[in-house]
Amino acid sequence: MADTPILLSTAYFAPVNYYARVIHHEQVFIEQFEHFNKQTYRNRCVILGANGPVPLVVPVVKGREKKILLKNLKIAYDEDWQRNHWRTLFSAYNSSPFFEFYKDEIYPLFEKRWNYLLDLNLETHAVICDLLETDNSVELTNDFEHVPKNTINFRENISPKNKAKKDVAFQPEKYTQVFSERFGFTPNLSILDLLFNEGPNSYNVLKSSINAH
């Protein structure tokens, strides 16, 4: 599996499934020429709060065109979503074992004003790879119709939508979450949930979450 490249959509603090795949493939392609789809991980992540799963959505500028290329999609700042996202993360994970350990690396991502969603997502991905101590071997696609040779096309497989194709090799490894006693284990949340709860052990959890056979 490691020798086989994988093609993924861009994502905002992507879920555990996404990063389980990232660490299992030496080469990762990110699609930039697809049309933006609503209600996907491209501009949202899901964390676990005191009342259950909480979606954090990055608002985007819709414009007049119905179909906008992902690489051209701009972020909207009509509301202070960055402040709201950080406050929600702080409330959910301030008591987690590794929030203090990682917050100084994560917080700057909520201070800078990004013009394009793709740029924000690429930077968050780079920071997450650094925290996981794994190579950031991302390469952007050149053409939507052309899937790189011998590459697994996973652009639509990691999605919050029920009708999406599922990653049959993904078998989420359980770990202790802040609100586990209240909700039990909630699988496939944002990678931030795993990092704040498991810290340096996050890589091992990701490694165990893909059945390579």
Side-chain angles (χ1 to χ4, degrees), residues 4 9-10 23 40 53-54 58-59 69 77 87 91 97 113 117 125 134 175 182 198-199 203 205 209-210:
T4 306
S9 66
T10 184
I23 70 167
T40 68
V54 180
V58 178
L69 289 182
Y77 289 96
R87 280 185 167 184
S91 177
R113 287 176 68 96
L117 178 67
H125 178 72
T134 190
Y175 57 92
R182 187 178 304 178
E198 287 290 321
Y203 186 93
V205 173
S209 293
I210 292 288

Side-chain angles (χ1 to χ4, degrees), residues 176-192:
T176 301
Q177 296 168 322
V178 175
F179 302 105
S180 290
E181 293 184 1
R182 187 178 304 178
F183 302 110
F185 176 66
T186 306
N188 207 29
L189 294 169
S190 167
I191 188 64
L192 292 176

